[in-house]
Amino acid sequence: MGTEDAADVPKVAGASLIEHVADRPEEVIGQVDAVIIATDDGDDHVRRAAPFIEAGLPVFVDKPMATNVADLRQFVQWQRAGKIILSSSGMRY
């Protein structure tokens, strides 16, 4: 579960109908089919996505995908290696 404050976890899980809460996001590897990185912090998306991408899981990354060139290059490298990564914005619509 990805909240900044551990006290928020039961509230977020309850509101989202999440039955199983993990202490660390990486604990769900092997138990999920894909992952959504739902934060809007483009400086932190590579760190959050890396364990899942490296485990071969498809990953959706909320916008902005990256806010610096080094992180964008990492996403490009993963994409070129055949990893399944998606990020999008509805702004143009």
Side-chain angles (χ1 to χ4, degrees):
M1 173 110 243
T3 66
E4 299 304 318
D5 184 352
D8 289 337
V9 171
K11 293 182 271 186
V12 172
S16 304
L17 304 176
I18 297 171
E19 295 179 25
H20 306 286
V21 176
D23 291 326
R24 295 178 330 109
E26 297 83 5
E27 291 176 14
V28 304
I29 294 173
Q31 300 177 41
V32 297
D33 296 322
V35 172
I36 298 172
I37 307 297
T39 67
D40 61 358
D41 183 359
D43 282 335
D44 197 32
H45 285 161
V46 165
R47 180 189 68 81
R48 290 179 183 264
F52 305 106
I53 292 171
E54 291 168 4
L57 288 167
V59 176
F60 175 86
V61 181
D62 198 5
K63 66 199 172 317
M65 180 178 229
T67 53
N68 61 74
V69 173
D71 286 356
L72 182 58
R73 286 185 175 139
Q74 179 61 68
F75 280 115
V76 169
Q77 182 179 351
W78 282 326
Q79 185 273 329
R80 288 182 177 159
K83 305 300 183 181
I84 300 171
I85 305 165
L86 174 67
S87 184
S88 66
S89 172
M91 287 295 288
R92 72 181 211 189
Y93 301 106

